[in-house]
Structure formats: structure tokens, C-alpha cells
Amino acid sequence: MSASPTAFIVGASRGLGLALAQEYLSRGWQVIGTVRPGTEPGPLHELAGEAQGRLTVELVDIVHADQISSLRQRLAGTRVDVLFVNAGVTNDPSETIGQVSTEEFVRVQVTNALSPMRCVEVLGDLVTPKGTIAVMSSILGSVAKNLSGGWEVYRASKAALNTLMRSYAARQPAHGRTLLVIAPGWVRTDMGGPAASLDVSESIPRVVDVVTAQAGKPGLQYLDYQGATIPW
């Protein structure tokens, strides 16, 4: 009997990341999920207590490069089938690029673009040769579909993430891992807000369906939670 596949969810303490951990567990996977150091035990720890050894909780704050490196060292010898990097913060969505402070712009860019890509770069070799690396983006990261403006700083950070994933993909072997940029839809989370059109339960199971369906297909795709291609 073959071992269960393993999903590594970076940023699993709440919201979409926690839902990813729950969904993969419900499908019989082993899961590694991360939370930031210094946080009180929360839903992910509770989930681990119910998972009969199938969920491991690791500590990392991905805005600190040294913590990503330490996490990689702790996981030496581990092999995962899916690495899913989930990170997202925003500023006031109505704040334009002319209004945002330098410090706030840097905070959003570092959290949403630089830090997830550092995770991909440092943790990517834990993924099996035919495995999948996915990052949680947004349809707002599409330059082609930006016809209405708004969410300017957040949009810029997700567009940067998308571009950096394209650069990463260009450096990979032609028949290497599956690489995915995923837009989960507008979801009712702390960041998405109560007016969002989708419940987590309507988004994340479909996200996992999409990731599963793309397994074994090398190269980079930008897809929504229903598997439709989004223009860059």
C-alpha cells in the first residue's frame, strides 16, 4: 500500500490556508502547515489534535529570510507532493499609489510577493520531481483584467508575485514540476470581508480540485478556482 501524499501549506493558521489544510486532510493526505512564531495555539493546532498524526505544525514568519532557511533545515529529508504558499495582506483598498506611505507599500510587497517567492526558492526542492508548487494569488494580479482600478497596492503586489513566478518558471527544466498561480475568487475571510461573493467552502475545495487536476503537467499556469485560465 502506497504512502499518503503530502501537502505543505505555508500560511495555514486561518482563512484560506487553514481551509486548505482541512481540505487536504479530508482527502486523506498528510499535511504540514505553518503558523507564525509567538502566536497562541489556534485552529490549526486544534486540527492537528484531531488529525491522528497526519498534520504537523511548523513555525515560520516568512517575512524573515532566516526563518525560511531554518524551516528548510528542519525539514531536510522530507518530500512533499504539493507546496502551496498562501500569504496575503492589504492596506486600505481605497488608498491610491499616490497616497500610500513608503512603509505600507513595502509591507504589502514584502508579504505578498517577496516572501512567498523566497519560500518557493528555498523550499521548492522539497517537492518531488513531478510534484506541484502553487502560490495563492488573485484575479486582481492580472494586468490585462485591470479595467476598474481600486486595490492599487494589493493589485501591484499580486502582479509582482505573478511576474516573479514567471521568472522562476523560466529557470526550471522544461519537463519539471507543475507550477500554479491560483486565484481563489473573492472569499469571505478577514481580508476579503463580509461582502465577498464566495464562502471558503465554495472556493477551497475547488482550488484543491484544480491543483489535483493539474498534477503532472509541467510548466506554469495562472488559473482561477474553477480551473479557467486568467490572462496575465
Side-chain angles (χ1 to χ4, degrees):
M1 185 174 178
S2 61
S4 299
T6 300
F8 184 5
I9 314 299
V10 177
S13 62
R14 59 192 176 95
L16 301 182
L18 177 63
L20 282 171
Q22 292 170 322
E23 185 64 24
Y24 275 108
L25 285 172
S26 75
R27 299 184 186 210
W29 286 52
Q30 301 283 331
V31 175
I32 303 167
T34 75
V35 300
R36 286 181 295 175
T39 56
E40 293 293 326
L44 189 68
H45 293 87
E46 294 175 12
L47 189 61
E50 302 165 358
Q52 299 180 328
R54 292 192 296 117
L55 170 58
T56 302
V57 179
E58 290 284 350
L59 300 178
V60 68
D61 186 339
I62 65 171
V63 302
H64 299 292
D66 60 331
Q67 291 191 24
I68 302 173
S69 297
S70 295
L71 176 62
R72 174 62 184 82
Q73 292 172 7
R74 294 198 302 274
L75 295 176
T78 300
R79 290 294 173 263
V80 303
D81 301 278
V82 171
L83 169 63
F84 205 133
V85 184
N86 171 61
V89 296
T90 189
N91 61 318
D92 179 347
S94 67
E95 196 170 37
T96 68
I97 199 68
Q99 296 168 331
V100 68
S101 70
T102 300
E103 294 76 17
E104 186 71 343
F105 181 82
V106 169
R107 180 185 73 90
V108 176
Q109 288 284 348
V110 167
T111 303
N112 291 2
L114 176 59
S115 300
M117 288 310 303
R118 279 178 170 162
C119 288
V120 170
E121 295 277 6
V122 175
L123 305 173
D125 66 351
L126 299 175
V127 180
T128 58
K130 299 297 183 182
T132 299
I133 298 174
V135 297
M136 194 73 82
S137 186
S138 168
I139 197 168
L140 296 179
S142 169
V143 174
K145 291 186 73 66
N146 183 6
L147 304 177
S148 61
W151 295 79
E152 291 187 17
V153 175
Y154 181 79
R155 280 185 190 272
S157 70
K158 290 301 187 178
L161 174 65
N162 295 356
T163 294
L164 291 170
M165 273 296 285
R166 292 196 73 163
S167 295
Y168 176 81
R171 291 188 268 115
Q172 305 311 304
H175 298 290
R177 299 174 176 89
T178 302
L179 303 175
L180 299 173
V181 173
I182 297 290
W186 187 19
V187 186
R188 289 189 290 276
T189 61
D190 289 345
M191 189 173 72
S197 56
L198 294 172
D199 186 74
V200 172
S201 65
E202 297 173 294
S203 167
I204 292 302
R206 295 182 185 182
V207 166
V208 174
D209 286 343
V210 170
V211 174
T212 301
Q214 297 304 317
K217 300 177 184 179
L220 176 64
Q221 296 184 77
Y222 182 15
L223 304 174
D224 71 11
Y225 71 102
Q226 295 176 309
T229 298
I230 301 174
W232 296 93

